[in-house]
Amino acid sequence: MPTPSTRSGAVPARRNGQEDLGIARPPEDLLQQVQADVNQAGGELVSDEDRVGSIGATMFDLPGSEDNSVTVVLPREHAQKAPSQSLLRIKSRDGRKYLGIVTAGPFAEPDTLRADSHLLVTVTARGGIYLPPYHGRVKVSILGEELKNGTLIPPRLRPLPNSPVISLTQAEVVEALRTAGDIRLGSLVGASDVLINVPSHKKFVLPRHLAVLGTTGGGKSTTVSRLIEQAQAAGMAVILLDVEGEYTFLHEPADEKTMLDALAERGLAAKGIPAERMRLYHLVGRDTTNPQHPHRCEFSLQFAQLSPYAVAEMLDMNDAQEDRFRFAYDTAKAIMRDLGICPQKNKSKEEVDRQEKLLLRVDEFERGWPRMTLSLLLDVVSKCLAVVNKTDYEPYNAELRTESGRAALAKHIKPKGMPSIASSWGKLKSSLWRLHRLKVFDRHLVKRQTARPLNYGEMLEPGRVSVVDLSDTGMTQLANFAIADLLRGIQGVQETAYRRFEAAQRTGLTPPAPPRVLLILEEAHEFLSKERIDRMDTLFQQLARIAKRGRKRWLSLAFVTQLPQHLPRQIYGLVNSYILHKITDAQVVRELQQTVSGIDESLWKRLPGLAPGQAIVSFPHLARPLLVAMDPTPCKLRMVD
């Protein structure tokens, strides 16, 4: 800038041969003065060791700040180093250390301008190249305060502002999130090198029961198939109740191109469950979706396994019909005793005494009367209807056509003392006859019939996969009878095995542990629906007893459904682990939020928009629920979603 003298044409003064432009010169001893000031202040600034390797720092809290959550800002060069679900260590300035996980972000924010300022909006909209200095911002949820020995405890305080933040290594992430195990589910979204696993040998994990929920196309079937393959490889006995016949090809490798590409991307190979380790079961007289399976077995149901109270509920009997059903059931028990069917009179006194003691322990809320058959009960009901109508009836069962059989019928079925009203007896007979006509009950008692009841002990062999194909039952009631029969049978065998294990332990022996069992119930809402739960209290209580006892006896239940809104709330009370695929119904999401604890708001907001194959995974062994890219299945599915 020209000085006044130059504007007036004056010649600038010269000093030591140079022009004096009026600019103040620093003193010669400036550096000495600065050094003196530094020394007086305590010397040069020593770099903060805690900031070595840091990618950002915590911010001050705001009026809208939440407990167990802090905001972390990242310099531009580190703005992408804290993706969603990254684990961070916060070294608070008060000496405490915290572990946290990124639950929102990273977001990019300009340093000196508002992101929505007119200048930035205009420049961006007009295709400008101006990019102001910016930084990253993430929201971090505190997992806990980290003690010196690495233990995490609930945080009592919050990290102080401007505390350095450091990323964890992969090994530290695995240890902090507790993702180790022998059943691989997938990889952590945001950190694909971190694998999410489930430990099958820890009793507080799988035996506490699992729910796999999600709409059609979200990837449930792939998740279930992969879970079966991994559980089998881990030595668990897996039993799948397949109501759609979708899993009948699990012994074959996946062959669908999309699945093969996904497997190759994860470094996995297509392979089926070893054929010799898989059995495919279907009801006698019913088809299966894979009739060429090398180990296909027909089976029949045992009416004696079913609680009479549960039968009444599954047949949706009204009060009048249920009264007559109970009368006929008790009458059939008395007739069986008179005829020596149960207890058996042609046995030794010791055996008869043993059977008598067994009958005293029968709980009809859990199972039916031993040796009771559907055809015998139907004969009794038909005789009752004939007595009410004052007509004759010729029994179906040979035992009742004998002289002693006819005498027993006449002795216990008299017009006086039995419920009347022929219409109710007729409807009850019609319901039972419809079941009997299906020819699936007690077929093992029919000559030249090869279909046998399920061999539950064989199904509980470690490493065995048993797929029960119920796709051709033709009616939901029949599928439910098969499920109830199997649940009761599996529970009985597992309890016996566990009692033997405990008895051997008390003697000081080290017996082999009872089998670890995973029982998967597909389309669980059809077995126990919210709409019918009030009318199926016995069935639910039976399932609840199995679930509660199973937690201690290595019997794990997995409920799978594409309609979680139809699953009773009581079922969720039995479940501690969840795999949640995409759910778009806002009402269902809200109901799950009230039921499933531990999942933060950021994950719930992502649930409706999850991509196929992604899921929110919550297991007791994990430090927190996680968003996981589920592994594709190496096994073949009949229908790939």
Side-chain angles (χ1 to χ4, degrees):
M1 176 178 178
T3 62
S5 59
T6 59
R7 287 198 302 269
S8 61
V11 179
R14 301 180 68 84
R15 179 180 298 174
N16 297 329
Q18 296 182 355
E19 293 183 0
D20 186 357
L21 301 179
I23 300 176
R25 295 179 179 277
E28 299 292 341
D29 61 346
L30 175 61
L31 293 179
Q32 290 80 357
Q33 293 181 30
V34 172
Q35 186 61 48
D37 291 341
V38 170
N39 294 337
Q40 185 178 2
E44 295 183 13
L45 179 64
V46 179
S47 60
D48 188 351
E49 294 183 358
D50 287 342
R51 290 192 175 275
V52 176
S54 68
I55 62 171
T58 56
M59 280 291 293
F60 281 93
D61 296 324
L62 299 173
S65 296
E66 301 175 354
D67 287 338
N68 295 327
S69 178
V70 295
T71 298
V72 173
V73 292
L74 315 166
R76 177 173 178 173
E77 62 271 20
H78 298 320
Q80 299 296 315
K81 291 187 177 181
S84 178
Q85 299 197 106
S86 297
L87 256 65
L88 306 174
R89 177 175 287 113
I90 302 173
K91 297 182 177 180
S92 180
R93 289 187 168 275
D94 58 4
R96 292 183 171 86
K97 292 182 181 180
Y98 299 85
L99 285 186
I101 186 169
V102 176
T103 55
F107 306 108
E109 297 179 337
D111 289 346
T112 57
L113 297 170
R114 286 176 56 93
D116 59 350
S117 66
H118 293 298
L119 172 62
L120 291 184
V121 172
T122 302
V123 171
T124 303
R126 299 298 178 88
I129 60 173
Y130 172 64
L131 183 66
Y134 67 91
H135 59 271
R137 175 176 60 84
V138 294
K139 179 181 178 181
V140 177
S141 294
I142 304 298
L143 296 178
E145 181 182 343
E146 190 178 25
L147 302 181
K148 291 183 179 180
N149 61 2
T151 303
L152 278 185
I153 63 173
R156 297 169 295 166
L157 301 171
R158 295 171 61 82
L160 294 178
N162 202 25
S163 297
V165 177
I166 300 174
S167 295
L168 269 64
T169 64
Q170 179 182 349
E172 289 176 321
V173 170
V174 171
E175 183 178 356
L177 292 179
R178 301 195 292 272
T179 62
D182 55 349
I183 295 179
R184 173 174 161 174
L185 295 180
S187 58
L188 185 66
V189 171
S192 58
D193 54 347
V194 177
L195 299 180
I196 308 303
N197 303 279
V198 176
S200 67
H201 291 276
K202 292 189 176 180
K203 208 170 188 179
F204 70 94
V205 183
L206 276 179
R208 299 185 70 183
H209 311 309
L210 166 68
V212 182
L213 313 176
T215 55
T216 302
K220 293 189 314 303
S221 299
T222 301
T223 292
V224 171
S225 176
R226 174 64 168 169
L227 179 62
I228 293 172
E229 184 266 337
Q230 287 286 287
Q232 186 275 331
M236 298 187 71
V238 184
I239 302 164
L240 172 67
L241 299 171
D242 186 3
V243 298
E244 298 290 343
E246 189 170 359
Y247 303 91
T248 57
F249 291 86
L250 292 182
H251 64 294
E252 299 182 19
D255 58 1
E256 203 271 333
K257 184 179 184 305
T258 303
M259 196 66 67
L260 293 176
D261 292 343
L263 287 168
E265 184 179 351
R266 300 285 181 93
L268 302 172
K271 61 177 182 178
I273 293 169
E276 66 275 9
R277 306 302 297 159
M278 177 181 171
R279 295 291 184 274
L280 176 61
Y281 298 90
H282 63 95
L283 277 168
V284 57
R286 297 294 181 272
D287 292 330
T288 172
T289 56
N290 185 10
Q292 304 304 319
H293 193 282
H295 300 289
R296 181 172 59 87
C297 308
E298 284 188 326
F299 72 96
S300 62
L301 301 179
Q302 299 179 82
F303 191 73
Q305 284 276 11
L306 302 174
S307 161
Y309 297 96
V311 171
E313 291 174 352
M314 285 188 283
L315 290 178
D316 203 17
M317 297 180 186
N318 58 32
D319 291 343
Q321 294 166 11
E322 187 170 357
D323 286 344
R324 284 150 184 78
F325 177 74
R326 289 297 305 157
F327 175 84
Y329 201 92
D330 291 338
T331 300
K333 291 190 298 184
I335 292 174
M336 290 171 66
R337 178 177 290 277
D338 287 354
L339 298 180
I341 299 175
C342 185
Q344 296 170 286
K345 289 183 178 179
N346 58 346
K347 299 293 183 180
S348 64
K349 183 179 184 304
E350 292 77 11
E351 175 62 18
V352 172
D353 290 342
R354 188 192 68 81
Q355 292 185 21
E356 288 285 6
K357 292 178 181 178
L358 175 64
L359 294 178
L360 291 175
R361 296 196 300 268
V362 170
D363 182 356
E364 291 188 353
F365 284 100
E366 288 197 9
R367 61 153 298 157
W369 195 253
R371 300 184 181 276
M372 175 75 72
T373 64
L374 177 58
S375 63
L376 180 66
L377 179 63
L378 184 57
D379 262 342
V380 173
V381 171
S382 300
K383 179 63 176 179
C384 290
L385 177 60
V387 169
V388 171
N389 286 332
K390 299 180 180 180
T391 58
D392 295 330
Y393 174 71
E394 182 66 18
Y396 170 81
N397 285 270
E399 297 92 339
L400 298 181
R401 291 199 298 269
T402 63
E403 183 177 347
S404 57
R406 296 179 189 278
L409 286 173
K411 173 184 174 183
H412 295 286
I413 302 177
K414 299 177 180 179
K416 186 177 181 180
M418 62 174 289
S420 56
I421 306 180
S423 59
S424 295
W425 280 110
K427 290 179 181 178
L428 174 60
K429 178 182 177 181
S430 176
S431 296
L432 296 178
W433 175 249
R434 189 168 65 251
L435 281 184
H436 181 67
R437 190 171 52 194
L438 296 173
K439 297 182 179 180
V440 297
F441 284 96
D442 309 313
R443 302 304 294 172
H444 62 291
L445 302 177
V446 179
K447 292 183 178 180
R448 296 184 298 277
Q449 177 59 253
T450 59
R452 311 293 298 174
L454 289 169
N455 186 332
Y456 305 114
E458 180 184 76
M459 299 174 83
L460 296 188
E461 180 183 324
R464 172 67 59 87
V465 174
S466 303
V467 177
V468 183
D469 184 0
L470 299 174
S471 59
D472 190 39
T473 55
M475 55 187 292
T476 302
Q477 288 176 332
L478 180 55
N480 288 347
F481 278 119
I483 293 171
D485 180 299
L486 188 139
L487 286 174
R488 177 67 187 86
I490 292 296
Q491 181 202 11
V493 174
Q494 184 71 353
E495 286 207 17
T496 299
Y498 201 79
R499 283 196 297 267
R500 290 174 180 169
F501 171 74
E502 290 182 317
Q505 278 188 320
R506 286 193 293 268
T507 62
L509 300 177
T510 55
R516 293 167 292 128
V517 183
L518 175 61
L519 200 159
I520 304 173
L521 179 57
E522 267 278 347
E523 303 301 338
H525 64 276
E526 294 186 4
F527 180 60
L528 275 177
S529 65
K530 179 189 297 185
E531 293 76 13
R532 297 188 61 200
I533 188 64
D534 292 337
R535 304 193 304 274
M536 302 183 73
D537 182 67
T538 301
L539 192 61
F540 172 74
Q541 293 301 330
Q542 193 176 40
L543 182 66
R545 284 192 293 272
I546 294 174
K548 292 174 182 177
R549 294 173 183 174
R551 290 178 177 178
K552 299 179 180 179
R553 295 165 174 79
W554 288 108
L555 176 56
S556 174
L557 301 178
F559 303 94
V560 184
T561 179
Q562 61 181 338
L563 297 172
Q565 64 269 32
H566 293 307
L567 205 59
R569 190 181 183 92
Q570 293 91 326
I571 292 293
Y572 295 119
L574 305 175
V575 172
N576 291 88
S577 302
Y578 289 88
I579 298 178
L580 304 178
H581 285 276
K582 179 179 180 180
I583 299 177
T584 56
D585 191 319
Q587 178 62 31
V588 175
V589 175
R590 284 193 294 270
E591 291 180 0
L592 288 174
Q593 281 184 279
Q594 298 172 3
T595 305
V596 186
S597 60
I599 300 179
D600 58 56
E601 186 66 26
S602 63
L603 288 179
W604 284 117
K605 289 181 178 179
R606 300 182 70 167
L607 185 60
L610 293 183
Q614 289 186 338
I616 297 173
V617 173
S618 175
F619 277 81
H621 71 289
L622 295 174
R624 60 166 282 118
L626 300 169
L627 181 59
V628 177
M630 306 297 289
D631 280 343
T633 174
C635 305
K636 182 178 179 179
L637 290 172
R638 193 169 68 92
M639 298 176 288
V640 179
D641 60 4

